[in-house]
Amino acid sequence: MQTRRDWLKQAGAAAAVALAPRGAEAQARKSTLTIALPSTPETIDPHQLRSVLSGSILGLMGEGLLTRDPQTMELKPLLAESWRNVNPTTWEVKLRRGIKFHNGEEFTAESVKFTIERAITSKLNTLAKLTWPPSFGQEVQAVDPHTVRITTRIPDPMVPSRLAAESLNIAPAKGLGDYRERFVTDRFIGTGPYRFVEHVVGDRVVVEANPAYWGPKPPSARIVWQVIPDAATRVAALQRGDIDVMLNLPVPLLSTVETDPGLRVYAELSSLTHGVLLNARESPPLKDRRVRQALNLAVDRQAIIKNLFAGRGQLLNTVTGRNVMNTFDPGPYPYDPGRAKALLAEAGYGNGFDLQLWQSIGRWTLAEEMAQVIAGYWDKVGVRTKIQLLEWAEYNKRSAGSQFRDAFYYAFINGTWDASYTVQRFKPDFATFRYFDASGDLLKAIRDYEQTFDPKRRRELAAQALKGLHEEAVWLFLWQLELLTGMSKKVKAFRIRPDDFIWARDAYVEA
Amino acid sequence: MAFGVSVLVFALVHLSGDPVLLMVSSDAPPDVVDTTRRALGFDRPLYQQLAQYLVRAAQGDLGVSLRSQRPVATLIAERLPATVELTLAALLLAVVTAVPLGIVSAVKRGSPVDRLAMVGAVAGQAIPIFWLALLLIALFGVRLRWLPVFGRGSLAHLVLPALSLSTIILGRLARLVRSSMLEVLGQDYVRTARAKGLAEPRVLALHALRNAAIPIVTLLGLQFAQLLGGAVVTETIFAWPGIGRLVVEAIFNRDFPVVQGVVLVVSLIFVAVSVVVDLAYAALDPRLRSEAA
């Protein structure tokens, strides 16, 4: 006969089974994944973010209508069910149903309207205004609770890419209704797999699994983004097991991680495209295409990558990097100082000329060394190069304001993951970074490319534009470097997307 | 003084560049730059911006961080305790080590003990703090695994940052204690105390050290105030969430309100510490009390 005590025991055992994590897999995981990062994320507002780092952290809690595959960068629906181009200026997006924000509010067409208006047409200084300038004249209409129509004043084939940007995290219209014209600093309300716990400025951001998430169950119970500014301390913390992942592993510390049996190095090619921009509008020698080509032929980029960056990078041969949509590789300018000298002589600079090479301090790894090496190569072919260093804020102001009269180093992101993001800069009416004005067939290819919808034709036009910019040698094309990450061998499914976005939503640590 | 410092810092940060250009991306079209400038009030004449800042600061409103959009007073309130904790711990460690070291060196002047202690003191001053910090991390954090290497929390978290920070003060303090003691030990009242048959420890503690204390207290006061704003390297290496890192990040980001706020608060603390040091003089030396009276 079953006693009352037996019955209570059985009930207790059943409750324990029900409360325990499901499956052996869940039991074999550490509850917290700790990722160490070098600097403070600037914000937790869904639309104020400025850096890939903040975008990656917010991307755990917030979601856009579309997203990109972490490996292929292919566009994929996220909060959208489907999208279609109705006509050159109208896009229709069907929304997923039954999704709730972390505050319980339902995700509807109103959320999309509120988000696009807050991120693009409000007074706020948002990143979305750069990736999708308000000059496109975006308007959002809620057709029904689960359908939106987005119209633009000018045809915009890039709308799906823009909707996949982290700068358009969908926010709740009611929950953030009071924050239409100001930033949020103390909470994050999204639909994502993780919920906001805390943001201690300068120290950490903590998120926890959202038990009501509409998609697959988040693999970690908690993710801590810990600020540790010093790289050597990050490595020490990793060796001790205090953190699981360290971002920005510098080349000199590579071997420490590589030789530790419990750790591994994870490398992914960064999307940043490095080059030296040449002012072909104002510098008399640089106006000549042959001189710009000679400057490219004069530098042994492969040797620099090998010796300065331990071989952790790849050559860049035009203004867009590998993997970007519609990119095209026209092949390298070989290292040929003899040909460089001949081209300079042909252009009337057989005796060389004086050139200033500007570089910023504290912005890029080994910035000064890179400038010295490039100047050394240019000196060898007779271009007497003087290095000028400048602090970043002033440097950035001058670069974007088209104020450098000769040559300066820069690295570009690609905000829309399409070649058009970089190619458009060479139109004579582009507002910033005007150092070379495309003309003739090249300009026509750039303009047509921007407004063409047909994917095949877009590829052809992009290739034509990128080949043209390579032949014009608008920059000293340099390289893309690897992003190095150190991590415990127990960390699984942690990725860095080809656009440098940190994909931590699938990551977990084995116990 | 705080008023003067505020005006000076205001002028310096405004001379150092345009914050708007760092806030908007380098790709930002000119109209976005202009709108942002207007929204933040940076389009108004400098004297108007300064006047508004001073009036608000007098009311306890230090403005809002341009970068994080959080009130500067809150940011400082969150970070200041960490810096005060680290500074006090470093001072305590320095005093506990340097005072006995300085006394022994003075008493055993010229002996191998004195020489060794002074070499140690000079080395402590000369060793770059970042190097020592990394060495401590490698030894106690990674090899021996005794102590955590970053962040703030338990007492264990405090040990390594406090130890490395204390070395800056330790050397200077030990040398000062030694020279002050040497001066005092030659005085008549010390000879008298010894002649009265007092035990040597009592002579040193009550008669010598007390009289040598004034320059020591001055140094400690100055160091405390300096470290509040200057523990940047230690805070950075140990990811210590203090005010030093806050202000350095703010300078790089041209976050004017934060820079101004931190400098104002640190200068106020500096003033407060100077007052405390002055009061300590009177407590230590009855002659000063009677002069004041």
Side-chain angles (χ1 to χ4, degrees):
Chain A
M1 199 184 115
Q2 206 173 29
T3 63
R4 192 165 162 232
R5 183 173 291 176
D6 290 337
W7 185 85
L8 280 172
K9 267 187 191 168
Q10 282 168 14
V17 169
L19 291 172
R22 276 175 210 165
E25 192 183 281
Q27 284 173 340
R29 284 179 189 177
K30 243 173 85 177
S31 65
T32 303
L33 164 69
T34 306
I35 303 169
L37 53 152
S39 57
T40 307
E42 64 271 11
T43 182
I44 51 152
D45 183 284
H47 306 129
Q48 195 202 358
L49 59 112
R50 284 274 161 230
S51 62
V52 181
L53 193 64
S54 289
S56 308
I57 296 173
L58 301 187
L60 288 173
M61 302 179 279
E63 295 177 308
L65 292 178
L66 276 65
T67 188
R68 287 185 182 277
D69 184 276
Q71 275 171 289
T72 63
M73 287 299 282
E74 202 182 321
L75 285 173
K76 283 178 155 185
L78 193 57
L79 291 180
E81 211 167 59
S82 63
W83 65 94
R84 73 185 178 98
N85 184 214
V86 180
N87 61 48
T89 55
T90 311
W91 292 79
E92 191 175 272
V93 185
K94 293 274 183 201
L95 309 179
R96 269 185 212 273
R97 290 158 193 261
I99 291 177
K100 291 209 160 134
F101 286 97
H102 301 155
N103 64 344
E105 189 177 328
E106 201 182 338
F107 159 70
T108 63
E110 277 310 310
S111 330
V112 179
K113 187 171 161 59
F114 170 75
T115 296
I116 294 184
E117 286 175 357
R118 181 177 193 259
I120 293 171
T121 55
S122 73
K123 284 185 209 145
L124 294 176
N125 171 28
T126 65
L127 181 63
K129 287 183 179 177
L130 304 174
T131 53
W132 199 6
S135 55
F136 277 90
Q138 302 90 329
E139 273 183 33
V140 185
Q141 185 203 346
V143 179
D144 64 51
H146 302 288
T147 312
V148 287
R149 264 184 187 217
I150 300 169
T151 55
T152 54
R153 231 183 351 252
I154 44 175
D156 183 10
M158 294 296 298
V159 169
S161 287
R162 301 189 202 276
L163 294 178
E166 274 65 42
S167 51
L168 277 179
N169 271 316
I170 301 296
K174 289 196 194 90
L176 289 188
D178 293 342
Y179 292 88
R180 188 178 285 268
E181 299 290 344
R182 62 196 169 105
F183 288 122
V184 197
T185 58
D186 59 350
R187 77 201 85 159
F188 188 101
I189 310 171
T191 59
Y194 288 88
R195 293 188 305 201
F196 175 72
V197 177
E198 63 171 343
H199 175 209
V200 183
V201 177
D203 191 39
R204 64 186 181 273
V205 179
V206 182
V207 299
E208 64 180 7
N210 170 13
Y213 184 53
W214 60 273
K217 192 172 176 271
S220 294
R222 218 174 163 82
I223 299 182
V224 177
W225 298 81
Q226 176 69 49
V227 179
I228 305 180
D230 189 73
T233 313
R234 286 204 296 284
V235 171
L238 189 64
Q239 288 181 298
R240 284 172 48 84
D242 295 341
I243 58 167
D244 306 300
V245 177
M246 71 158 286
L247 302 176
N248 293 36
L249 172 64
V251 170
L253 292 173
L254 260 177
S255 60
T256 313
V257 176
E258 280 169 339
T259 52
D260 189 311
L263 306 178
R264 72 184 178 98
V265 175
Y266 165 57
E268 198 72 61
L269 194 68
S270 163
S271 67
L272 271 184
T273 49
H274 297 250
V276 173
L277 276 71
L278 306 171
N279 192 335
R281 295 178 65 235
E282 288 172 300
S283 156
L286 297 180
K287 279 182 183 171
D288 194 312
R289 181 168 69 171
R290 291 166 297 189
V291 172
R292 301 194 301 267
Q293 288 174 336
L295 293 179
N296 271 278
L297 292 163
V299 179
D300 188 352
R301 299 172 298 159
Q302 205 67 268
I304 303 179
I305 293 177
K306 187 176 162 222
N307 297 310
L308 220 47
F309 300 107
R312 301 237 173 213
Q314 293 193 19
L315 294 182
L316 177 78
N317 299 320
T318 182
V319 297
T320 55
R322 282 162 206 252
N323 306 327
V324 171
M325 282 287 287
N326 296 317
T327 194
F328 170 80
D329 186 355
Y333 277 100
Y335 173 52
D336 189 346
R339 172 100 185 101
K341 276 186 192 162
L343 274 174
L344 286 173
E346 216 178 281
Y349 293 99
N351 294 325
F353 61 93
D354 295 316
L355 184 70
Q356 299 205 62
L357 170 60
W358 293 83
Q359 176 62 296
S360 174
I361 311 161
R363 179 68 180 179
W364 298 291
T365 319
L366 300 173
E368 209 175 330
E369 289 83 349
M370 286 191 283
Q372 281 163 359
V373 176
I374 292 167
Y377 277 116
W378 282 351
D379 275 331
K380 275 192 198 166
V381 296
V383 178
R384 295 174 293 278
T385 311
K386 191 175 166 205
I387 297 170
Q388 300 276 14
L389 298 174
L390 204 55
E391 172 273 337
W392 172 246
E394 179 62 21
Y395 188 88
N396 200 26
K397 177 183 154 195
R398 290 197 199 176
S399 334
S402 317
Q403 290 170 20
F404 285 124
R405 290 176 176 270
D406 18 45
F408 70 99
Y409 192 99
Y410 211 83
F412 288 94
I413 57 154
N414 190 303
T416 54
W417 205 247
D418 189 284
S420 60
Y421 188 79
T422 326
V423 165
Q424 62 175 339
R425 295 169 190 283
F426 299 94
K427 292 185 301 185
D429 54 357
F430 198 76
T432 56
F433 287 94
R434 275 193 66 204
Y435 294 97
F436 173 87
D437 288 343
S439 59
D441 288 347
L442 177 57
L443 180 60
K444 187 169 181 312
I446 294 174
R447 287 204 196 283
D448 289 350
Y449 166 41
E450 274 196 308
Q451 302 213 343
T452 298
F453 281 70
D454 174 51
K456 186 167 169 277
R457 183 70 190 134
R458 276 177 73 76
R459 268 199 303 279
E460 287 166 4
L461 287 165
Q464 200 181 321
L466 291 167
K467 193 161 175 280
L469 292 166
H470 167 84
E471 281 162 7
E472 287 289 349
V474 291
W475 303 352
L476 160 63
F477 305 113
L478 288 175
W479 44 65
Q480 282 175 275
L481 298 173
E482 284 180 5
L483 279 173
L484 301 172
T485 305
M487 63 173 79
S488 152
K489 282 183 178 162
K490 289 179 177 169
V491 173
K492 305 291 169 194
F494 177 93
R495 290 200 65 88
I496 292 185
R497 222 166 52 180
D499 62 349
D500 303 358
F501 181 90
I502 302 155
W503 191 266
R505 63 158 62 198
D506 299 331
Y508 61 93
V509 193
E510 285 176 344
Chain B
M1 179 184 163
F3 173 80
V5 169
S6 301
V7 175
L8 188 68
V9 173
F10 183 88
L12 286 176
V13 288
H14 278 79
L15 276 175
S16 65
D18 188 346
V20 180
L21 291 164
L22 272 185
M23 293 187 66
V24 300
S25 142
S26 52
D27 290 358
D31 58 323
V32 173
V33 177
D34 288 343
T35 317
T36 312
R37 182 169 286 121
R38 270 198 303 280
L40 295 171
F42 287 127
D43 58 328
R44 286 175 299 147
L46 274 184
Y47 71 89
Q48 278 186 20
Q49 292 182 46
L50 173 64
Q52 191 189 34
Y53 174 73
L54 291 174
V55 169
R56 285 186 181 167
Q59 296 164 348
D61 175 6
L62 298 175
V64 172
S65 157
L66 300 180
R67 190 165 155 91
S68 71
Q69 301 290 319
R70 300 183 69 204
V72 174
T74 312
L75 287 175
I76 295 175
E78 279 174 3
R79 309 283 283 261
L80 190 60
T83 300
V84 171
E85 181 186 314
L86 177 60
T87 306
L88 285 177
L91 278 181
L92 189 71
L93 265 178
V95 169
V96 169
T97 326
V99 172
L101 209 65
I103 295 175
V104 171
S105 291
V107 173
K108 310 264 180 198
R109 188 182 179 186
S111 71
V113 178
D114 175 29
R115 286 200 186 121
L116 194 68
M118 284 308 107
V119 166
V122 172
Q125 257 182 291
I127 290 173
I129 196 159
F130 70 89
W131 184 78
L132 180 72
L134 291 176
L135 217 63
L136 292 174
I137 286 178
L139 180 63
F140 295 106
V142 180
R143 189 165 285 263
L144 301 170
R145 308 219 167 204
W146 288 354
L147 296 162
V149 297
F150 74 90
R152 180 178 176 230
S154 64
L155 196 63
H157 284 90
L158 185 60
V159 177
L160 293 184
L163 199 62
S164 27
L165 191 60
S166 71
T167 55
I168 306 181
I169 321 159
L170 203 150
R172 203 170 296 166
L173 191 61
R175 291 171 65 194
L176 184 71
V177 170
R178 179 180 180 271
S179 58
S180 303
M181 285 295 282
L182 280 177
E183 200 182 313
V184 172
L185 286 173
Q187 299 291 327
D188 290 345
Y189 52 81
V190 173
R191 201 178 308 133
T192 309
R194 281 181 178 143
K196 280 198 299 184
L198 285 181
E200 189 64 12
R202 212 172 147 79
V203 174
L204 291 176
L206 289 183
H207 294 266
L209 188 59
R210 190 164 176 189
N211 281 292
I214 285 192
I216 298 169
V217 169
T218 312
L219 180 77
L220 286 177
L222 283 173
Q223 289 289 341
F224 178 75
Q226 249 174 32
L227 288 180
L228 277 183
V232 183
V233 176
T234 315
E235 287 186 3
T236 303
I237 291 181
F238 293 100
W240 190 262
I243 211 166
R245 258 177 62 206
L246 177 71
V247 75
V248 167
E249 283 175 11
I251 290 168
F252 280 122
N253 295 315
R254 291 281 191 287
D255 201 339
F256 288 2
V258 175
V259 179
Q260 286 167 182
V262 172
V263 174
L264 184 66
V265 169
V266 170
S267 59
L268 286 175
I269 295 175
F270 206 100
V271 172
V273 170
S274 303
V275 171
V276 171
V277 168
D278 282 352
L279 293 174
Y281 288 168
L284 287 166
D285 191 342
R287 286 169 301 180
L288 292 174
R289 257 175 290 170
S290 56
E291 270 173 33

